[in-house]
Amino acid sequence: RPRVFSGMQPTNASLHLGNYLGALRQWAAMQDHYDAFYCVVDLHAITAGHDADQLRQRTRVTAAQYIAGGVDPERSTLFVQSHVPEHAQLAWVLSCITGFGEASRMTQFKDKAARQGADATTVGLFTYPVLQAADILLYHADKVPVGEDQRQHIELTRDLGGRFNSRFGPTFTLPSPYIPEATAKIYDLQDPTAKMSKSVGGSGLIELLDEPKTIEKRIKSAVTDTGREIVADRENKPGVANLITILSAMSARPVADIEQDFVGRGYGDLKKEVTSAVMETVLPFQQRVRELLDDPAELDALLARGAAKAREVSAHTLRQVYDRIGFLEPE
Ligand code: AQP
């Protein structure tokens, strides 16, 4: 079976609707057809400042959300990145074949660094995409389900994998991004021209573990426009288009049907339907996360089993890489 790899950072207490629609939901759907590896990328989560106790807690909460979102730890390999040392080890090797200029062109780094300021920006944030390339290449992943914002990083992963292969001999599979167009980018409800984002936060964010009341309030106060028409016009009506995208994805109804349904109705109605569609997923999701967190020992045991499975692949890949580049095998 072809392989799939993806991961998310445990940087917040909750995943948001963009993470769910852009990534997690695809992960769950792909388990049936792929040999799937899903990782809580905690090494990535320390690139922009963090609190240790919070990280411990958020790593478990993120893993619990993967499961609540449909990842089945029996069918997929679900693990925590720092439990598998080969990620950091391969990242070092790849960083030695990455051009400084090449890494400097990563737009996500440029955006985040601009937000943080030069003194607060770490070298870890700069080399983040190289670590991400290592995550993916270690498992010989064919496909990487992500949102649109990750396309450039997957391109870099292919470049680095290809470069290594041509310098040292065929070693890595070159992955392709898997980015279904409809949910490639969910926008901020307050600024529907910007992607919904954990690090930007604010009231335009729908967090899956938020109080249902808060979620309802945020959808109610989503920015629309002064017009009346309910059409998915990204260019002229980005707020309305975003709400339609969310409704369509959450209720599995085609956009055209929704537009048809809302002819002559108002934005208030649209927001009500978005709210109930979101709640239908979010309420059982929250319940499942609570159950999983009630038994952290069981969750930790499950993650340990996942890490052991992941290492069966990653240790083999790293050994091959070390051999190809001329590191002596230890006695
Ligand atoms: N708004 C979005 N629409 C669709 N997909 C999205 N993703 C993130 N935001 C949207 C996808 O979710 C996964 C999260 O990966 P990550 O934890 O590495 O975080 P990220 O890509 O950096 O995006 P976040 O979660 O909003 O955090 P910020 O903006 O703070 O960095 C990825 O597959 C991503 O594409």
Side-chain angles (χ1 to χ4, degrees):
R1 282 200 298 172
R3 281 262 167 80
V4 61
F5 175 92
S6 200
M8 287 196 259
Q9 305 181 67
T11 35
N12 272 28
S14 173
L15 298 179
H16 60 71
L17 205 57
N19 300 145
Y20 177 71
L21 292 175
L24 184 53
R25 223 169 55 148
Q26 264 59 257
W27 300 6
M30 290 175 98
Q31 299 173 115
D32 296 329
H33 312 290
Y34 290 85
D35 182 17
F37 288 74
Y38 298 129
C39 182
V40 179
V41 292
D42 56 348
L43 298 179
H44 287 275
I46 63 168
T47 52
H50 75 286
D51 174 90
D53 284 332
Q54 243 178 19
L55 180 62
R56 255 184 286 278
Q57 172 62 11
R58 290 176 176 183
T59 299
R60 285 200 187 95
V61 177
T62 302
Q65 289 177 91
Y66 287 4
I67 299 171
V71 171
D72 175 358
E74 297 303 320
R75 281 187 292 158
S76 295
T77 303
L78 165 56
F79 66 104
V80 174
Q81 189 184 25
S82 64
H83 292 173
V84 179
E86 288 80 11
H87 289 252
Q89 290 171 299
L90 179 60
W92 175 254
V93 174
L94 294 178
S95 73
C96 297
I97 61 163
T98 308
F100 188 81
E102 188 175 34
S104 308
R105 285 193 290 277
M106 295 297 114
T107 56
Q108 197 173 66
F109 170 74
K110 287 196 273 189
D111 290 349
K112 288 191 179 180
R115 280 207 299 271
Q116 290 172 354
D119 287 340
T121 301
T122 65
V123 174
L125 186 68
F126 183 66
T127 56
Y128 180 118
V130 179
L131 176 59
Q132 186 175 344
D135 300 339
I136 298 165
L137 293 174
L138 265 181
Y139 299 96
H140 304 291
D142 300 284
K143 285 258 171 347
V144 187
V146 284
E148 181 60 42
D149 58 333
Q150 293 297 326
R151 189 185 290 278
Q152 194 188 27
H153 290 171
I154 311 303
E155 252 332 292
L156 178 73
T157 302
R158 289 177 63 88
D159 290 347
L160 296 179
R163 191 171 306 157
F164 187 97
N165 287 350
S166 61
R167 280 194 204 165
F168 301 106
T171 307
F172 294 122
T173 302
L174 303 189
S176 353
Y178 177 74
I179 309 178
E181 204 190 321
T183 49
K185 194 165 180 183
I186 302 299
Y187 293 84
D188 185 283
L189 298 188
Q190 287 301 313
D191 175 6
T193 57
K195 79 156 191 162
M196 190 177 280
S197 153
K198 288 194 211 100
S199 52
V200 173
S203 61
L205 186 67
I206 299 293
E207 294 190 294
L208 302 175
L209 299 180
D210 249 345
E211 287 293 326
K213 273 214 167 69
T214 308
I215 296 178
E216 195 181 333
K217 222 165 68 195
R218 288 188 175 180
I219 295 173
K220 210 170 172 178
S221 49
V223 164
T224 46
D225 54 58
T226 52
R228 305 172 64 89
E229 256 196 313
I230 296 181
V231 286
D233 177 352
R234 258 256 46 93
E235 193 87 331
N236 301 306
K237 299 170 83 75
V240 174
N242 192 35
L243 290 173
I244 294 177
T245 300
I246 295 171
L247 180 55
S248 166
M250 301 300 279
S251 62
R253 275 159 69 197
V255 167
D257 286 11
I258 294 173
E259 288 176 331
Q260 185 60 36
D261 255 19
F262 278 93
V263 171
R265 294 165 69 194
Y267 293 158
D269 268 8
L270 173 65
K271 289 176 176 177
K272 269 192 205 135
E273 281 204 24
V274 172
T275 306
S276 38
V278 169
M279 288 306 168
E280 217 168 285
T281 296
V282 156
L283 296 178
F285 178 91
Q286 294 190 350
Q287 174 62 26
R288 184 76 183 111
V289 168
R290 277 193 293 270
E291 285 163 14
L292 288 158
L293 293 176
D294 264 353
D295 193 351
E298 172 55 30
L299 191 58
D300 288 356
L302 179 157
L303 292 170
R305 288 196 295 274
K309 260 165 72 187
R311 287 205 75 185
E312 285 170 18
V313 180
S314 64
H316 181 261
T317 309
L318 189 78
R319 193 55 256 155
Q320 207 173 27
V321 167
Y322 274 14
D323 186 49
R324 298 252 151 96
I325 60 176
F327 287 171
L328 276 181
E329 194 160 352
E331 278 307 312

